[in-house]
Amino acid sequence: MKKRMTLLCLVLCLLLPVFAQAEAVDPDHAASLTLHFADGGTPLAGACFSAYRVASVNEHGAYALLPGWDVGDADLNRTESAAQWMALAQLLSAQTEEATDAAMTDQQGLAAMEDLEPGLYLVTGLPLEVGVVAYEFAPMMISLPGKTDGKWQYDVYADVKFSKGDVIRDVRVFKYWSNDGNGSGRPGSIMAALYCDGQLYTTVELTAEKSWSHTFESLSAAHEWTVSELNVPNGYKPTYGEAEGALTITNTRIDTPTPPPDIPQTGLVWWPVPLLAVLGIALVLTGLVLRRKWGSENE
């Protein structure tokens, strides 16, 4: 019996340093969160992040979900794997309204949020375009404070994870006609070819019914897009350019269109009417004078 008591005392003595090192969370201690955004070691500015406090934390480090949030059957205090935390972040990101705090990355790629209450936070980022590269940020869960080497750290630093791809844009093509009068010599349609970095990508028919225009949707801005006309109509010369972000084709008439032939007028001609009226009146007056004279001579 004495041996057992001695062994128990020995075990407790060994555990006392461990218990002594267990540090309680101070729920009233101000915390901070600094996010770092860099691509291949290059810090990027202008990324906007928002933090939402979804749960409080007690002195034992246990979370309590705050009102207004729903995690279904998930248990915040039993969530362990990265996949579980990712699924939880996706679920909560669909419920966001007013953020607890927000910040934008500076030239060092840092976005700092100060004076935050301890708890569990959902962090989201708005999509960002830098040149022809588009960045997207997956929502993530961050605990304030965080634990490092068994100690609570109230100032947390985190690298944000992102995915990237090409910026996507629409390319519109306009067809213009120049110096061709009323357009009687225009064809009913033309074929335009779209090129990607000098290689044929696709073709499209432009018609008057479609206002001589077309929009190519969802094209990568990382490539150069140009347009060319196929089978240029006789008598026209095409030129290419850009206007307000759209590609343009202008067909200019280079020969003088043949004027339409003179067509005899088949309607009524009204200009002789006044003249004929005057001549008629003159004839009537002349007749009256002659009649009077003739009557006088016969009396």
Side-chain angles (χ1 to χ4, degrees):
M1 185 65 180
K2 289 183 179 181
K3 290 183 179 180
R4 289 181 181 179
M5 291 298 296
T6 302
L7 181 59
L8 180 59
C9 290
L10 180 60
V11 171
L12 290 175
C13 288
L14 292 174
L15 289 177
L16 280 176
V18 177
F19 291 142
Q21 291 179 1
E23 183 182 359
V25 173
D26 181 0
D28 298 321
H29 193 296
S32 69
L33 173 61
T34 300
L35 301 173
H36 180 232
F37 171 41
D39 183 4
T42 302
L44 297 174
C48 297
F49 296 96
S50 297
Y52 303 83
R53 187 169 180 259
V54 301
S56 61
V57 61
N58 63 19
E59 62 273 15
H60 304 295
Y63 301 118
L65 191 67
L66 294 174
W69 300 97
D70 182 10
V71 295
D73 297 331
D75 186 342
L76 297 179
N77 296 299
R78 293 187 178 181
T79 303
E80 297 178 354
S81 69
Q84 288 177 319
W85 283 116
M86 186 179 300
L88 184 62
Q90 291 287 351
L91 175 63
L92 291 171
S93 65
Q95 306 172 33
T96 57
E97 292 184 2
E98 185 176 355
T100 304
D101 203 351
M104 179 186 296
T105 56
D106 57 19
Q107 295 301 319
Q108 287 72 46
L110 300 176
M113 305 181 202
E114 308 286 345
D115 297 324
L116 299 176
E117 291 185 71
L120 181 64
Y121 283 80
L122 165 71
V123 177
T124 63
L126 295 177
L128 176 69
E129 293 182 2
V130 179
V132 296
V133 180
Y135 294 91
E136 291 189 358
F137 307 94
M140 57 184 176
M141 306 303 300
I142 295 181
S143 177
L144 299 180
K147 207 166 194 180
T148 304
D149 297 330
K151 295 184 178 181
W152 295 107
Q153 303 294 330
Y154 291 87
D155 298 314
V156 175
Y157 179 97
D159 289 310
V160 297
K161 296 182 179 180
F162 58 87
S163 60
K164 67 177 182 177
D166 294 342
V167 171
I168 301 301
R169 66 186 180 101
D170 294 340
V171 175
R172 196 168 189 185
V173 175
F174 285 97
K175 171 71 173 179
Y176 298 103
W177 299 90
S178 176
N179 195 38
D180 65 345
N182 60 8
S184 59
R186 298 176 189 174
S189 65
I190 63 106
M191 294 298 296
L194 182 70
Y195 295 86
C196 176
D197 297 331
Q199 300 296 318
L200 180 62
Y201 181 78
T202 188
T203 60
V204 66
E205 183 180 31
L206 304 180
T207 66
E209 289 76 12
K210 296 181 179 179
S211 301
W212 299 104
S213 67
H214 181 78
T215 300
F216 298 95
E217 298 179 344
S218 302
L219 301 180
S220 170
H223 299 280
E224 180 184 13
W225 300 95
T226 56
V227 69
S228 178
E229 182 175 353
L230 305 177
N231 302 321
V232 179
N234 290 332
Y236 285 92
K237 179 182 178 180
T239 55
Y240 307 99
E242 290 191 33
E244 298 181 357
L247 302 178
T248 62
I249 305 172
T250 301
N251 272 10
T252 303
R253 189 81 180 185
I254 56 177
D255 60 355
T256 304
T258 303
D262 292 335
I263 300 175
Q265 296 184 2
T266 57
L268 294 176
V269 180
W270 292 98
W271 68 266
V273 173
L275 179 59
L276 292 175
V278 172
L279 290 175
I281 293 172
L283 290 174
V284 171
L285 293 174
T286 301
L288 291 174
V289 171
L290 291 175
R291 183 177 179 183
R292 230 179 242 183
K293 184 177 180 181
W294 180 80
S296 299
E297 292 176 350
N298 290 329
E299 285 181 356

